[in-house]
Amino acid sequence: MKRSLSLSRRTLLASAGASALALSGCDKLNKLINGSPKVSFKGVDVTGTGYGQQFVLPDLAGRPRRISDFSGKVLVVFFGYTQCPDVCPTTLAELAQVKKALGADGERIQGIFVSVDPERDQPAMLKAYVTGFDPSFIALRGNAEQTAAAAKDFKVFFAKVPGQAEGSYTIDHTAGSYLFDAKGQLRVFTRYGAGPDALTADLKQLLSEG
């Protein structure tokens, strides 16, 4: 029962986050597209919000990484943690499934997992975790201050929830993925639970834009 309640909280966070993202992006959309026909996404269109542009976090080798480092690839950025019981593994497995189904086009998709639990998510553990879903996936891990700054830049919520055993905890966090186009612009927020078909459609659209 407790696990179900935790999942419900994360699902509610995803919906709340998506609504906020949608409202903040709508007013800027027409100005950004410069008269081009409006693109229809299955997820929440957040074109023009500018979230994630100040994003800087170390990779597992300690190198600072930015969205601009992945120019030419469509990015799927997800905030989570390795001991997440449901949302995180489901999201990564779904992305790996979609990436594989896209064949050669899937090679142009980069999955990026941002840890919200750097205290427990040590580099070796993170690498094994993300590459277990797909060898191309990468993980980013900062210290507590860097993690908080990155989450703020993406408008991501996360908070520790004490467990039953002393010192144990889970983390409630925004349950959704951020899709960037090949030019490094945030375009879509995909809600957790939207399904692989919706994710595939939005990734195909972004890939088609070059």
Side-chain angles (χ1 to χ4, degrees):
M1 176 63 71
K2 186 168 185 176
R3 174 172 169 174
S4 298
L5 289 172
S6 181
L7 176 56
S8 297
R9 284 199 300 272
R10 281 191 287 269
T11 303
L12 286 171
L13 287 170
S15 299
S19 298
L21 286 166
L23 289 172
S24 60
C26 287
D27 291 339
K28 300 179 182 179
L29 180 60
N30 290 331
K31 293 180 182 179
L32 188 76
I33 294 181
N34 295 321
S36 299
K38 182 177 179 180
V39 176
S40 179
F41 292 113
K42 301 295 184 182
V44 180
D45 190 331
V46 292
T47 303
T49 57
Y51 294 175
Q53 296 306 308
Q54 306 304 317
F55 171 71
V56 182
L57 276 179
D59 63 18
L60 300 184
R63 297 171 297 183
R65 306 304 294 266
R66 300 168 175 81
I67 293 299
S68 59
D69 293 339
F70 305 95
S71 178
K73 289 201 171 186
V74 171
L75 308 183
V76 181
V77 180
F78 179 78
F79 285 72
Y81 65 114
T82 62
Q83 297 189 45
C84 176
D86 34 49
V87 174
C88 302
T90 300
T91 298
L92 291 174
E94 184 175 281
L95 176 57
Q97 173 191 339
V98 169
K99 184 175 181 294
K100 182 177 180 180
L102 287 172
D105 283 342
E107 297 304 311
R108 297 169 53 203
I109 296 172
Q110 178 63 63
I112 300 176
F113 183 83
V114 180
S115 173
V116 295
D117 190 15
E119 180 181 347
R120 294 185 299 190
D121 287 349
Q122 296 302 306
M125 179 189 298
L126 271 171
K127 182 176 181 179
Y129 183 74
V130 299
T131 58
F133 293 97
D134 186 284
S136 73
F137 289 175
I138 68 169
L140 303 180
R141 173 185 176 271
N143 57 32
E145 292 75 18
Q146 290 170 322
T147 302
K152 181 179 180 180
D153 193 31
F154 277 89
K155 305 299 185 290
V156 164
F157 169 85
F158 70 97
K160 286 185 178 181
V161 178
Q164 292 183 338
E166 183 177 355
S168 68
Y169 61 88
T170 58
I171 298 180
D172 278 351
H173 59 93
T174 300
S177 301
Y178 297 82
L179 277 54
F180 287 76
D181 63 25
K183 297 178 181 178
Q185 298 300 311
L186 178 62
R187 303 292 299 282
V188 183
F189 177 80
T190 299
R191 296 180 178 92
Y192 173 72
D197 290 344
L199 178 60
T200 299
D202 288 344
L203 288 175
K204 281 184 174 180
Q205 174 61 44
L206 295 178
L207 288 167
S208 72
E209 295 177 8

